[in-house]
Amino acid sequence: MTPLLDVALKHLTRDGELDFTDKHSLACTLIDQATGHMLKPGPLAGALVPGIDMQAIELIIRSLRTTLKSGFEQALVRHFNGNAYNTQDIPNLETNRWLWLSDTLRDTLRTAVLKQPGLTDTQRETLDQLATYPDQVHRQAAKGNAAAKVFILDTTVSHGASNSAQLSPDLLITREVDGRTQVLHTTPAGVVTPYDSLQAFGEAWGETWRKCLFSTA
């Protein structure tokens, strides 16, 4: 038995199959997972089909596709614009979740600069730049040509005949040092991986996605 919510989310997010028609002369219906019994709601006045109308449920799930993306985006904006702290526990403290998240990620990056072994002094300087000047304009004004550049990792993954865009929370950081391009990959957890070149990073990033697809295929 697969929970209805899981079926709906798979259809909405990964084009999962959605077919609530009868199979092998057995009616498609809903099961109470706690008891294993079929759900049998009481008769509803004006209902076209007695009991649970699975075709109506299927149509409702399909209709969510048109509003899911915009609704999710609006919900995210409302959430992150809200106060990060419970004002009942901490009165007079108002910090929206965007600022809280920014401060948390900056602190994680500073910790990586201080504690992660294997980084060179110039690599630590690059990371410190980001923690001190997270805004590109301010970083450029302070460091000029020596300013680090930061890129988000927006990847298009092809699997068979389908393509999907994958936006990673990781960051790719580059900086010109003594005529060479310094390349650093960092995760939100503060794990920093240096690479010899952008090509080396690209090959490693592609291999990471290949393994991910292979393991889930």
Side-chain angles (χ1 to χ4, degrees), residues 24-212:
H24 308 296
S25 300
L26 297 175
C28 182
T29 187
L30 299 179
I31 304 293
D32 185 340
Q33 287 190 306
T35 64
H37 297 154
M38 288 189 298
L39 294 178
K40 295 181 179 179
L44 183 65
L48 298 177
V49 179
I52 299 175
D53 187 348
M54 296 303 296
Q55 298 303 306
I57 293 176
E58 180 178 332
L59 288 174
I60 290 171
I61 294 174
R62 291 185 184 279
S63 70
L64 292 174
R65 259 210 179 148
T66 57
T67 59
L68 178 66
K69 183 178 180 180
S70 60
F72 183 63
E73 289 174 348
Q74 292 169 16
L76 278 179
V77 170
R78 287 195 302 271
H79 174 77
F80 278 100
N81 283 340
N83 193 0
Y85 302 100
N86 187 333
T87 54
Q88 293 180 346
D89 298 334
I90 311 176
N92 303 321
L93 180 60
E94 293 190 8
T95 300
N96 70 45
R97 291 185 177 94
W98 287 118
L99 183 58
W100 171 85
L101 180 61
S102 174
D103 290 344
T104 299
L105 293 175
R106 186 186 303 185
D107 290 344
T108 301
L109 189 60
R110 287 192 187 279
T111 301
V113 172
L114 295 172
K115 294 186 175 182
Q116 180 164 321
L119 297 177
T120 66
D121 289 343
T122 56
Q123 289 167 346
R124 295 183 195 278
E125 289 172 6
T126 300
L127 296 172
D128 185 65
Q129 262 197 40
L130 261 66
T132 305
Y133 306 103
D135 186 277
Q136 173 70 30
V137 174
H138 297 160
R139 193 164 60 249
Q140 189 73 42
K143 300 296 181 178
N145 293 333
K149 297 179 181 179
V150 184
F151 305 89
I152 59 173
L153 297 172
D154 189 357
T155 307
T156 299
V157 179
S158 298
H159 184 53
S162 63
N163 297 320
S164 64
Q166 304 290 335
L167 182 60
S168 171
D170 297 5
L171 296 176
L172 179 65
I173 306 163
T174 66
R175 185 164 77 100
E176 296 301 317
V177 180
D178 297 330
R180 296 187 60 186
T181 301
Q182 186 183 85
V183 181
L184 300 172
H185 167 225
T186 180
T187 72
V191 178
V192 181
T193 306
Y195 289 92
D196 291 335
S197 64
L198 285 171
Q199 181 178 348
F201 165 76
E203 292 172 354
W205 189 245
E207 181 64 13
T208 297
W209 278 107
R210 189 196 68 79
K211 290 180 179 178
C212 179

